[in-house]
Amino acid sequence: LGTRNTSTTNRQTQHQNTDRKTERHLGTDTMAMAMVQDNRQGLKVLFLGSLVFGKNLLSVLESSAGRDKIYRGAAFGAKILVSLIEPVSPKSAWITPLNKLAKMLGDGRRLFRLLKYFSSLQTILEKTLYLEDPFLRVFSTLKTLSQLIFLYHDQNYFLAQIKLTNSDAERKKYLASCGWCMSIAFALVCDLYELSVILIHIERLTTRKEKLKQSGPHEDKDLINTEARNIQVRMTNLRAKLKVSLCNLTKNAFDIFIAIEAVFAWGKIPSNALNYFGLISSIVSTYLLWPVPKSTPSLSALPSVSSSSSSALPGQDKSFSMAGPVLPRDVSTPMF
């Protein structure tokens, strides 16, 4: 009997060990299958993300402004690579091709800007002179006029470079730099004004929203709910416009250093820093042109003050439309 009990116990122990091994194998197989599925899902997401990125990139490249910003970013990127390679390996074979690429991209951008100053003239005659906001009417016109000066002299500089005219190329380059510097300075003034207008409207809407929360029980609930929804819609549009205004302010804040150095040639700002400033500015400009999902307010489709009958002055109640304050989009400034 003792022998039988011992053998029975041994068989039970063997069965239990076998069951545990089977469970471990099944668990390992399940984990392996889950890891394979996760890897496949990750590859699928990566593939779909690459397709969406490629589609958006092609969409940006289809516009002249998008091509200009991407070419500008690539030119500054090439200069940054040269500045990183040259101290380590001065005789590297990459230095000459990268310098040629940066120059070729710069000349290509100038070629595509030929006769573009007529567009700035048209903007002045048809839009900026008729803005209802007196502040924006003055400074937007000055900004666009400075762009016209820049584009005109930059065209003459390009023609003198390729020996199609006998004009002084260096003087034309200096005049183009002056026009560009003035346009960036006026753009910064407009950006700061627009930012202040948006913040004032956000503060007013926030105050109004708090008052609605404190409404008494005897007030019309349907009316309060409707107004609360309208405030929410306006706040959403204001946040989108705030993002655009901050991006424009960042872009122009970096560009103003490049423009000042181009005009005055102080040499106090390192060329490497200027290259990084230009690259950051180009990335921000490309971001403003980047397509967004349809459910998100489009950064490039915000209404402009020239197409609206409402004023953007902070003290005027009629600027509190459903879309919030109507502000002008930044006119894309061609940059060196």
Side-chain angles (χ1 to χ4, degrees), residues 26-276:
L26 289 174
T28 305
D29 293 341
T30 304
M31 291 176 61
M33 292 177 64
M35 291 177 63
V36 170
Q37 290 178 355
D38 290 341
N39 290 336
R40 289 178 179 175
Q41 188 69 21
L43 290 174
K44 182 179 179 181
V45 171
L46 181 62
F47 177 71
L48 292 177
S50 301
L51 288 179
V52 173
F53 178 82
K55 180 181 178 181
N56 291 338
L57 182 61
L58 289 176
S59 177
V60 172
L61 287 172
E62 286 177 357
S63 65
S64 59
R67 286 193 299 271
D68 183 74
K69 306 308 177 190
I70 290 177
Y71 291 169
R72 182 175 187 254
F76 278 113
K79 292 178 181 179
I80 290 172
L81 288 176
V82 170
S83 67
L84 294 175
I85 295 173
E86 202 166 19
V88 179
S89 178
K91 297 181 180 180
S92 174
W94 288 97
I95 295 177
T96 301
L98 288 172
N99 284 328
K100 287 183 178 180
L101 176 64
K103 186 178 185 306
M104 182 180 65
L105 290 172
D107 292 339
R109 292 176 61 232
R110 288 190 174 91
L111 176 63
F112 289 125
R113 289 202 297 258
L114 290 177
L115 302 179
K116 202 171 181 180
Y117 57 87
F118 284 112
S119 176
S120 298
L121 180 61
Q122 183 181 9
T123 301
I124 293 173
L125 296 177
E126 296 182 358
K127 295 181 180 179
T128 59
L129 288 176
Y130 301 99
L131 297 178
E132 294 189 10
D133 187 325
F135 186 91
L136 290 176
R137 186 190 311 140
V138 172
F139 282 93
S140 293
T141 301
L142 289 174
K143 178 181 70 173
T144 313
L145 181 62
S146 301
Q147 291 174 11
L148 188 151
I149 295 171
F150 159 69
L151 291 169
Y152 176 75
H153 290 294
D154 186 65
Q155 170 187 286
N156 292 334
Y157 167 67
F158 176 71
L159 295 176
Q161 258 196 328
I162 60 177
K163 307 300 182 182
L164 287 180
T165 61
N166 295 325
S167 56
D168 186 356
E170 290 302 319
R171 177 170 174 76
K172 295 299 180 183
K173 182 180 180 180
Y174 175 76
L175 293 174
S177 300
C178 291
W180 182 47
C181 186
M182 289 190 298
S183 69
I184 296 297
F186 289 130
L188 278 172
V189 174
C190 292
D191 292 338
L192 291 172
Y193 176 77
E194 293 170 10
L195 184 62
S196 67
V197 171
I198 293 173
L199 293 177
I200 288 172
H201 280 77
I202 289 177
E203 183 181 0
R204 289 183 179 181
L205 288 176
T206 304
T207 304
R208 179 57 184 162
K209 190 176 180 180
E210 293 298 326
K211 289 182 179 179
L212 288 178
K213 290 181 180 179
Q214 300 172 1
S215 58
H218 302 292
E219 297 186 24
D220 191 344
K221 295 296 182 182
D222 293 336
L223 206 60
I224 292 174
N225 291 334
T226 301
E227 187 171 358
R229 285 193 296 270
N230 291 341
I231 289 175
Q232 187 62 36
V233 171
R234 281 184 274 174
M235 289 289 283
T236 302
N237 290 330
L238 280 171
R239 291 190 185 99
K241 294 173 185 178
L242 180 63
K243 184 188 295 186
V244 175
S245 182
L246 289 174
C247 287
N248 283 327
L249 185 62
T250 303
K251 170 176 65 71
N252 291 322
F254 280 110
D255 280 337
I256 193 66
F257 291 103
I258 306 175
I260 290 174
E261 185 63 30
V263 173
F264 299 101
W266 285 338
K268 296 181 179 181
I269 305 176
S271 59
N272 291 345
L274 295 177
N275 292 333
Y276 282 106

